[in-house]
Amino acid sequence: MISFLYNNPIFVWALLVSFTAGIIGGSVGPLVVVRRMSFLSGSIAHAVLAGVGLFIWLERAHHIPLPSPLFGALFAAFIAAWCLSRLQKSERLDSAIAALWASGMAIGIILLSQTPGYTTEVNNILIGNILFVGPHDLVILAILAVLTLTFITFRFQHLKLVLFDPTQAKLQGIDTEKMYTHLLFLVAISVVALVQVVGIVLVMTFLTLPALLAGIFCRHLSTMIFASIGIAMICSIAGLLLAYMLDWPAGASITICATCFYGIGKIGKSGIRTHGTLTGTRP
Amino acid sequence: MSSIIAINNLWFKYGDETALQDVTLHIDQGECIGIFGPNGGGKTTLLKLLLGLLKPWKGDIRVYGETPPVADMAYVPQNFSFDRRFPITSLEVVLGGLARHRASNQIKNKQAKHALETVGMIEFASKQFGSLSGGQMQRVLVARALVSEPKILLLDEPTSCTDKKGETDLFAILSSLKPKTTIIIVTHHIDAIAPLVTRMACVHRTATIMNPQEICDHFAFGLYHPPELEKT
């Protein structure tokens, strides 16, 4: 194994990137799943294309020196998160999510159509390409991972209460709207991190599947987060190995592995339940 | 005794729909007030206004001379909607009542276990909250309200899912809290609550204060409607 890793530095690099993204996605995923925000995350992910398109267009069409398109993605994700936080009380939140989803993509497509030359970054952003991630991007990802973990660690009790029972959280003096906005910004950060690995199209599955699998077996939100991070990392290793052996795209392979693991977990859990019922160990 | 809750000429509207009109109610320290009335009469709205979850359209509410929300109030909700698969145990739910307290986790855990013991749910402490029955959930929510030893306790139909024994147990717990805690309880079980309360308020847009004996007279025939309608 060590010699394999030694002889494949690209694989090691891909592992480093996917592990960092896995820490972010794995820790935020359970919060998204228990708050039922999966599609909301999807709309942030798709709105990211507008930011990527804007940065590439400004750089190529107007020769404005800009940093990595990752910053454009982060910029668009934060704007999308802010818009959604303003709309959280709207009775038509689902329609607002759809509108943001579609308009973000539309802005990105228009800007990219006006950009001269061939934009390889767009394909990488849409379907993900771990090898496209540079050393600077990895540093940004690591900083985002530290920020995410720090926020969740220090605000965990309040986050849990807001997610479980917002009314009780308000009575305990917690600013629930502010906390919800912070949560949306966390989702925005994780979306940008995951876009690097699995791309916009697959980001939602990576944000939900490890958390869903962890949720099958965990009784506490804290253990669900730890398990989800672990599962996200295992899915990354399995997916990258699959991609390496079969020459498949890495992002799609990771997603397929996560889906398979979730299916096995679900079947395993119902098997345990059935066995328990038959043997009388479970009422 | 001094009024710790003062509601003066309170109005509240949901859009154009008037939920409460010109409600005036003063509650003294240590009192136990029963609130009853028909569905949609504004009972839960009144509690939410007291908690500061809603803002009055007109009029004034003061709790300890301050505008709600104020600390030292706890609430047991009527309809608790949540995701049954949410990964949280009964003990963690009760700990949610101590979020604003600055004690150590060890002390908080001890207090939460004591509250669960009070409501007879200690053996369910590590059980998934979503796996409990409706009555058991209500008891855990009562424990969450009791854990912080609040000065004012608001309960919105806390026995709607419990059996007769659960109801008797809860009323015994509430009785033991008097007169240290001021209790406001919304219920349709007038006969069961009558021995516990000092006064009752019939809330049907406005509030009519009655003593428990008057209530028994009004509802002697099992009719359930506001007293002012009977007069006409």
Side-chain angles (χ1 to χ4, degrees):
Chain A
M1 183 66 184
I2 292 166
S3 63
F4 169 77
L5 292 174
Y6 187 77
N7 293 325
N8 293 280
I10 292 171
F11 191 86
V12 176
W13 181 254
L15 267 182
L16 264 178
V17 174
S18 58
F19 272 13
T20 318
I23 290 170
I24 301 173
S27 55
V28 178
L31 309 178
V32 169
V33 166
V34 298
R35 186 66 166 79
R36 298 185 176 189
M37 288 167 44
S38 305
F39 276 92
L40 197 142
S41 319
S43 75
I44 294 177
H46 285 75
V48 153
L49 191 66
V52 173
L54 179 70
F55 268 48
I56 294 174
W57 176 69
L58 286 174
E59 198 176 27
R60 303 265 169 86
H62 297 278
H63 307 290
I64 298 170
L66 285 167
S68 156
L70 188 63
F71 283 100
L74 201 59
F75 172 68
F78 279 168
I79 288 184
W82 182 80
C83 289
L84 287 167
S85 74
R86 299 293 97 194
L87 292 166
Q88 62 173 297
K89 281 187 180 168
S90 162
E91 287 173 16
R92 301 269 183 213
L93 182 62
D94 58 336
S95 309
I97 288 169
L100 192 72
W101 185 309
S103 53
M105 291 289 279
I107 293 167
I109 291 166
I110 289 169
L111 288 170
L112 289 167
S113 72
Q114 301 302 308
T115 304
Y118 184 65
T119 49
T120 45
E121 298 96 329
V122 179
N123 271 345
N124 296 330
I125 291 283
L126 277 173
I127 58 168
N129 186 352
I130 289 177
L131 302 180
F132 175 68
V133 180
H136 287 104
D137 294 333
L138 183 62
V139 172
I140 296 167
L141 282 180
I143 293 169
L144 293 179
V146 171
L147 284 176
T148 306
L149 286 181
T150 308
F151 179 78
I152 292 176
T153 307
F154 284 100
R155 308 297 286 170
F156 179 72
Q157 293 302 336
H158 285 189
L159 265 174
K160 186 168 69 177
L161 193 55
V162 169
L163 293 169
F164 177 64
D165 186 357
T167 306
Q168 177 66 14
K170 267 186 197 168
L171 295 178
Q172 291 294 317
I174 299 168
D175 188 341
T176 51
E177 283 176 23
K178 197 170 149 190
M179 192 61 87
Y180 186 67
T181 306
H182 288 166
L183 182 60
L184 284 172
F185 280 103
L186 268 188
V187 172
I189 287 173
S190 59
V191 159
V192 173
L194 292 170
V195 156
Q196 299 284 302
V197 182
V198 288
I200 287 171
V201 180
L202 301 174
V203 84
M204 221 160 56
T205 48
F206 203 78
L207 203 56
T208 53
L209 285 169
L212 279 171
L213 178 54
I216 294 174
F217 301 101
C218 297
R219 267 192 206 179
H220 305 273
L221 187 59
S222 51
T223 48
M224 189 176 167
I225 289 172
F226 282 118
S228 173
I229 292 172
I231 292 164
M233 287 180 165
I234 292 168
C235 290
S236 299
I237 299 171
L240 287 173
L241 281 172
L242 199 67
Y244 178 81
M245 289 187 293
L246 302 174
D247 197 20
W248 284 359
S253 306
I254 292 171
T255 305
I256 289 294
C257 284
T259 310
C260 291
F261 289 158
Y262 174 66
I264 292 165
K266 198 80 182 152
I267 292 164
K269 177 77 175 181
S270 26
I272 292 166
R273 196 175 287 157
T274 312
H275 178 75
T277 309
L278 290 174
T279 55
T281 51
R282 191 191 154 90
Chain B
M1 282 202 277
S2 57
S3 288
I4 54 160
I5 296 173
I7 302 170
N8 293 310
N9 310 108
L10 178 76
W11 287 67
F12 185 80
K13 288 185 176 188
Y14 289 105
D16 293 331
E17 191 78 23
T18 304
L20 291 171
Q21 62 178 57
D22 206 22
V23 173
T24 297
L25 181 64
H26 289 232
I27 300 169
D28 294 332
Q29 171 72 48
E31 257 200 294
C32 181
I33 298 268
I35 293 179
F36 68 102
N39 291 333
K43 305 181 294 294
T44 301
T45 303
L46 183 62
L47 291 195
K48 286 185 175 172
L49 284 158
L50 280 168
L51 289 162
L53 296 172
L54 297 173
K55 298 288 168 208
W57 182 68
K58 223 161 70 175
D60 183 48
I61 299 184
R62 297 275 161 179
V63 180
Y64 292 114
E66 287 176 34
T67 307
V70 295
D72 289 327
M73 285 176 96
Y75 173 57
V76 180
Q78 177 189 6
N79 297 317
F80 186 63
S81 56
F82 76 105
D83 184 354
R84 274 190 174 260
R85 286 168 299 177
F86 195 103
I88 193 164
T89 61
S90 302
L91 185 69
E92 285 176 294
V93 171
V94 179
L95 283 167
L98 292 170
R100 67 159 80 224
H101 290 240
R102 298 228 173 263
S104 69
N105 285 344
Q106 201 182 354
I107 292 170
K108 282 184 179 181
N109 271 322
K110 205 174 157 188
Q111 284 175 297
K113 281 179 182 167
H114 177 69
L116 279 171
E117 215 165 343
T118 308
V119 298
M121 287 294 291
I122 189 66
E123 67 266 39
F124 296 93
S126 55
K127 271 256 179 192
Q128 196 80 5
F129 184 67
S131 70
L132 302 180
S133 72
Q136 289 170 331
M137 274 185 199
Q138 255 180 345
R139 282 155 75 177
V140 172
L141 293 177
V142 170
R144 183 177 72 177
L146 296 176
V147 71
S148 59
E149 296 180 3
K151 287 182 185 161
I152 301 169
L153 181 59
L154 309 180
L155 304 102
D156 196 353
E157 297 188 35
T159 56
S160 59
C161 295
T162 54
D163 54 17
K164 194 70 193 163
K165 189 188 174 300
E167 186 181 271
T168 313
D169 290 349
L170 176 66
F171 290 159
I173 293 165
L174 295 180
S175 196
S176 71
L177 296 174
K178 291 197 302 179
K180 205 174 138 196
T181 311
T182 306
I183 300 167
I184 301 171
I185 180 166
V186 171
T187 184
H188 292 288
H189 301 182
I190 297 161
D191 51 340
I193 197 80
L196 184 73
V197 297
T198 42
R199 287 186 293 162
M200 292 206 76
C202 178
V203 175
H204 184 216
R205 290 226 174 94
T206 189
T208 311
I209 300 294
M210 307 163 91
N211 65 44
Q213 186 53 48
E214 276 181 290
I215 306 288
C216 294
D217 295 343
H218 274 291
F219 297 99
F221 303 106
L223 298 172
Y224 193 78
H225 51 75
E228 63 266 31
L229 293 181
E230 196 180 60
K231 282 173 194 165
T232 57

